[in-house]
Amino acid sequence: MIITDTHTHLYSKEFDEDRSEMIQRAIDAGVSRFFIPAIDSTFTQAMYDLEKSYPDNIFLMMGLHPTHVKDNYLEELQLVEKELSERKFFAVGEIGIDLYWDKTHLEEQKTAFRKQIHLAKQYKLPIVIHCREAFDEVFEILEEEKSNDLFGIFHCFSGTYEQALQAISYNMKLGIGGVVTFKNGKIDQFLNQIDLKYIVLETDSPYLAPVPYRGKRNESSYLVNVVDKLAEIYNLSQQEIARITTENSIAVFRI
């Protein structure tokens, strides 16, 4: 059973004490493909170090995270463009709009999102979208930019059924993680109405650990708990959930 974690911050400081053991736990549990989102330039070397240590398992993205869009965002975007021009990445991400923490740089976040969508189209890469309390703003830009060469993943999807359909209409798959196991997560109430071909799995570790680990540090091995929940929702075996969602990840990342 091959399970794909399409979104995990394995370079996070929360893993500094046991990173190699944590990754081995995941591999032992069947989670053997890890897609690593970028945040900003301060994390780039740590991402490269991970890739060097696990060349068969680690697949990198490049981008500027919306919560790290600050006054120097144009400089950061130049670095994103430089990295994309120099080596292989598997997505532009994570990018998008976040209005939960800070609304100060909303216009800059919009500009950064658009510019990075253009980079993804230029390099024929998927995008991985971060959206928090910003569905209207994200959908507005996706509507403006929609085209056959715009595709990717709506990371950590936590919207409504109608918002799920809208995201899918822009060639996005839905990244489903620990939230689907939460009693108040709500997406479990309609997910069986969404064709499984639109679903990919993720942890967003070290954040959003699934039940029974909710509130603790998340790690990629816990993706098995998400697989179990989706097997229940879709009335399929865990093996079938793993197979289909991994095939979906291959369709997005092309590896």
Side-chain angles (χ1 to χ4, degrees), residues 196 227 230-231 234 236-246:
L196 194 56
V227 170
L230 289 187
Y234 284 98
L236 293 170
S237 69
Q238 290 93 335
Q239 289 78 7
E240 194 70 355
I241 295 293
R243 181 186 67 80
I244 294 171
T245 54
T246 286

Side-chain angles (χ1 to χ4, degrees), residues 127 129 135 138-154 163-173:
I127 61 172
I129 299 172
F135 275 105
V138 165
F139 283 150
E140 179 183 357
I141 291 173
L142 291 179
E143 180 66 28
E144 293 170 4
E145 299 290 343
K146 66 181 179 182
S147 62
N148 290 334
D149 57 354
L150 178 63
F151 64 104
I153 295 172
F154 218 101
Q163 288 166 332
L165 295 181
Q166 191 167 353
I168 289 167
S169 76
Y170 297 123
N171 295 327
M172 298 296 145
K173 298 197 187 298

Side-chain angles (χ1 to χ4, degrees), residues 27-57:
I27 292 171
D28 291 345
V31 185
S32 57
R33 289 159 46 87
F34 309 91
F35 288 84
I36 312 297
I39 293 179
D40 65 19
S41 61
T42 64
F43 292 91
T44 304
Q45 189 57 52
M47 292 168 60
Y48 291 164
D49 292 343
L50 261 177
E51 181 187 49
K52 186 176 180 180
S53 297
Y54 299 91
D56 297 329
N57 307 96

Side-chain angles (χ1 to χ4, degrees), residues 104-213:
T104 307
H105 292 89
L106 173 58
E107 290 309 312
E108 290 87 347
Q109 285 191 47
K110 288 181 177 180
T111 300
F113 189 26
R114 282 195 185 92
K115 284 181 178 292
Q116 292 180 99
I117 287 174
H118 297 162
L119 286 171
K121 290 179 177 181
Q122 178 183 339
Y123 289 99
K124 296 180 170 53
L125 292 173
I127 61 172
V128 173
I129 299 172
H130 173 108
C131 174
R132 193 165 187 192
E133 296 193 358
F135 275 105
D136 290 344
E137 291 80 2
V138 165
F139 283 150
E140 179 183 357
I141 291 173
L142 291 179
E143 180 66 28
E144 293 170 4
E145 299 290 343
K146 66 181 179 182
S147 62
N148 290 334
D149 57 354
L150 178 63
F151 64 104
I153 295 172
F154 218 101
H155 150 62
C156 194
F157 183 80
S158 57
T160 64
Y161 174 66
E162 290 73 23
Q163 288 166 332
L165 295 181
Q166 191 167 353
I168 289 167
S169 76
Y170 297 123
N171 295 327
M172 298 296 145
K173 298 197 187 298
L174 308 180
I176 302 298
V179 173
V180 76
T181 70
F182 298 172
K183 284 185 177 179
N184 60 348
K186 298 182 180 178
I187 59 173
D188 61 311
Q189 297 172 17
F190 66 78
L191 205 58
N192 64 350
Q193 300 175 57
I194 303 293
D195 194 307
L196 194 56
K197 69 182 180 182
Y198 298 118
I199 304 298
V200 293
L201 304 181
E202 63 167 69
T203 55
D204 199 22
S205 59
Y207 316 108
L208 295 171
V211 173
Y213 307 104

